[in-house]
Amino acid sequence: MYLPRIENDGSDRVVATEAGTSHLASARRTLLLEIEGLKQLAASLDGPFTRAVDELGRSAGRVIVTGMGKSGHIARKIAATMASTGTPAQYVHPGEASHGDLGMIANGDVILALSWSGETAELSSIISHAKRFAIPLIGMTSEAKSALGTAADVALILPRAEEACPNKLAPTTSTTMQLALGDALAIALLEKKGFSAKDFSIFHPGGKLGAMLRHVSEVMHTGDELPLTAPESRMSEVLLVMSQKSLGCAGIVDKDGKLIGVITDGDIRRNSGSNLLDRTASDIMNRSPKTVAPDMLASEAVKILNEKKITSLFVVESERPLGLVHIHDFLKAGVV
């Protein structure tokens, strides 16, 4: 068994010189070959890609994504990406298709079939089913004259880029291109349908992403928690309100309940040496406070807090304060 030569470089680090250098060279070679494949793929895109997006966009049903082996693993990911970005999609295993799973494919669906060679035997049942029931078939293959390439209504032909595998056998560059082309289709469909971040949140309620896609209204303080006072209030009263509510600010509202200003801890510090307690809220307040709407995404509100270097925002609708969000609220919700 080969053991790498270990050297001490004079510091506390121990360096595996021979093996480490070899592994890094291998990794960089793999990545550069796959990048080259993606460049070739980007340059090859033309009319068939546009027709594929139009065909997928017209579907009244689902996109049925299928493939065998490594192509099958990529097909599953493409189906999952489409389903989460507004295009109903489902993976169907081609080996199971001829044993009853063809029933999952119905009129109104579109089939997206992946096969590098285009001659995958297990796809024959799905291809025949598509032709029998006039279900649109989009093929993703490297061989235009293959069984899949010629049968497809739209053939997406992948360039014959060099595999990163030194034996040129293991699917590496080829599957990277399949995955990237699937992403390109999904994003083009997303943009075609006008699928927004708000729509995206419906399908991603969990985890960090789900937290970022929550709306301000879901985390804001409301009702008696809001630190509100009138413009004629003495600053001694304003300080009492800010202390009781512990949110680092006070909202100033007029007789109609509209937010006309905000006083923050920073405003208090900046005015602490000028007979502060004898002044009124209207003397101190910021008359152009930054506010947000209740339907704004939490991630967007956090961006505003960071850009403005502030810790809280009033949530308003029709100029009236509905709530208040503090950076700590977003921390608790897992947004940051």
Side-chain angles (χ1 to χ4, degrees), residues 11-171:
S11 67
D12 292 332
R13 297 182 303 160
V14 176
V15 184
T17 56
E18 296 177 10
T21 301
S22 175
H23 297 334
L24 289 174
S26 172
R28 292 189 178 107
R29 183 173 61 251
T30 296
L31 293 174
L32 289 172
L33 283 170
E34 296 195 351
I35 289 170
E36 180 58 31
L38 292 177
K39 288 180 177 178
Q40 292 180 35
L41 175 61
S44 72
L45 295 182
D46 52 13
F49 181 84
T50 300
R51 293 198 298 275
V53 173
D54 289 341
E55 192 69 69
L56 292 166
R58 281 194 296 268
S59 171
R62 296 159 302 163
V63 177
I64 303 298
V65 194
T66 187
M68 195 70 186
K70 303 299 186 295
S71 294
H73 295 306
I74 300 300
R76 288 180 186 273
K77 193 275 179 185
I78 293 173
T81 298
M82 287 185 172
S84 71
T85 52
T87 300
Q90 177 181 341
Y91 172 76
V92 172
H93 192 290
E96 299 291 338
S98 59
H99 296 276
D101 284 3
L102 285 174
M104 297 180 181
I105 308 172
N107 288 328
D109 292 342
V110 176
I111 298 171
L112 173 61
L114 282 64
S115 171
W116 180 249
S117 68
E119 300 292 349
T120 304
E122 290 85 352
L123 286 175
S124 59
S125 295
I126 289 181
I127 293 174
S128 297
H129 186 77
K131 294 304 178 184
R132 180 182 179 186
F133 293 98
I135 296 172
L137 173 65
I138 299 170
M140 189 186 295
T141 179
S142 66
E143 296 290 348
K145 295 183 179 180
S146 63
L148 176 59
T150 55
D153 298 295
V154 180
L156 300 174
I157 307 303
L158 299 163
R160 298 287 295 183
E162 182 181 353
E163 296 283 15
C165 167
N167 299 316
K168 311 307 174 192
L169 296 174

Side-chain angles (χ1 to χ4, degrees), residues 43-293:
S44 72
L45 295 182
D46 52 13
F49 181 84
T50 300
R51 293 198 298 275
V53 173
D54 289 341
E55 192 69 69
L56 292 166
R58 281 194 296 268
S59 171
R62 296 159 302 163
V63 177
I64 303 298
V65 194
T66 187
M68 195 70 186
K70 303 299 186 295
S71 294
H73 295 306
I74 300 300
R76 288 180 186 273
K77 193 275 179 185
I78 293 173
T81 298
M82 287 185 172
S84 71
T85 52
T87 300
Q90 177 181 341
Y91 172 76
V92 172
H93 192 290
E96 299 291 338
S98 59
H99 296 276
D101 284 3
L102 285 174
M104 297 180 181
I105 308 172
N107 288 328
D109 292 342
V110 176
I111 298 171
L112 173 61
L114 282 64
S115 171
W116 180 249
S117 68
E119 300 292 349
T120 304
E122 290 85 352
L123 286 175
S124 59
S125 295
I126 289 181
I127 293 174
S128 297
H129 186 77
K131 294 304 178 184
R132 180 182 179 186
F133 293 98
I135 296 172
L137 173 65
I138 299 170
M140 189 186 295
T141 179
S142 66
E143 296 290 348
K145 295 183 179 180
S146 63
L148 176 59
T150 55
D153 298 295
V154 180
L156 300 174
I157 307 303
L158 299 163
R160 298 287 295 183
E162 182 181 353
E163 296 283 15
C165 167
N167 299 316
K168 311 307 174 192
L169 296 174
T172 45
T173 306
S174 56
T175 47
T176 297
M177 290 191 295
Q178 287 178 327
L179 181 61
L181 187 53
D183 285 343
L185 288 169
I187 298 305
L189 285 166
L190 176 154
E191 293 173 345
K192 180 182 178 70
K193 296 177 179 182
F195 191 79
S196 67
K198 188 173 181 179
D199 298 319
F200 198 78
S201 67
I202 297 171
F203 303 116
H204 298 79
K208 177 75 172 181
L209 183 57
M212 293 179 67
L213 292 171
R214 294 176 70 181
H215 295 97
V216 166
S217 60
E218 299 177 66
V219 296
M220 68 184 185
H221 298 272
T222 60
D224 291 339
E225 296 180 273
L226 297 183
L228 300 175
T229 189
E232 63 271 15
S233 297
R234 310 290 293 185
M235 282 307 299
S236 56
E237 299 173 41
V238 176
L239 288 170
L240 181 61
V241 169
M242 292 175 65
S243 176
Q244 289 175 337
K245 305 302 182 179
S246 301
L247 290 171
C249 67
I252 314 304
V253 293
D254 64 15
K255 60 181 182 348
D256 296 321
K258 295 181 179 180
L259 186 73
I260 59 172
V262 168
I263 296 176
T264 67
D265 288 335
D267 296 320
I268 300 298
R269 288 192 298 273
R270 285 187 288 273
N271 291 275
S272 59
S274 53
N275 301 318
L276 177 64
L277 298 181
D278 294 330
R279 304 175 74 181
T280 64
S282 62
D283 295 329
I284 304 298
M285 69 184 187
N286 172 7
R287 297 176 183 272
S288 302
K290 186 64 182 176
T291 62
V292 294

